[in-house]
Amino acid sequence: FGAHYLSPGGASAEGGEVFFTFTNPGKDPLTVWGRFFHGHGVSPQQRQIEVTVAPGTSEKLRVPVEVTEARDDEPLQLDW
């Protein structure tokens, strides 16, 4: 599992994207389900995610986000 944030205009941008990469090294399909916690500074356009990763592969999931207040002390939180 890995995640990174891309912003088209730097830290002051009004939005951007978070990309999650899920890797399944196992021999069975892996389904990942998650939900984002409420945040005042960053708000994902979808509150829940679900992705199934085939054995021996990786899947990238794109989640657009709205940045209402750029703050370093309030990360985007995902329970998965």
Side-chain angles (χ1 to χ4, degrees):
F1 166 72
H4 65 275
Y5 172 72
L6 294 180
S7 170
S12 63
E14 293 179 2
E17 300 169 314
V18 177
F19 288 89
F20 295 91
T21 302
F22 298 95
T23 302
N24 181 3
K27 295 181 180 181
D28 297 312
L30 171 68
T31 298
V32 179
W33 179 89
R35 68 176 174 84
F36 291 100
F37 286 90
H38 173 75
H40 296 287
V42 179
S43 178
Q45 290 184 4
Q46 62 192 72
R47 290 288 177 199
Q48 297 182 21
I49 62 168
E50 183 175 339
V51 63
T52 299
V53 185
T57 65
S58 294
E59 291 286 335
K60 184 180 280 189
L61 180 67
R62 176 185 162 270
V63 178
V65 296
E66 178 182 348
V67 179
T68 55
E69 182 180 351
R71 295 173 41 178
D72 290 337
D73 62 343
E74 187 177 359
L76 184 61
Q77 296 182 31
L78 174 67
D79 180 22
W80 59 287

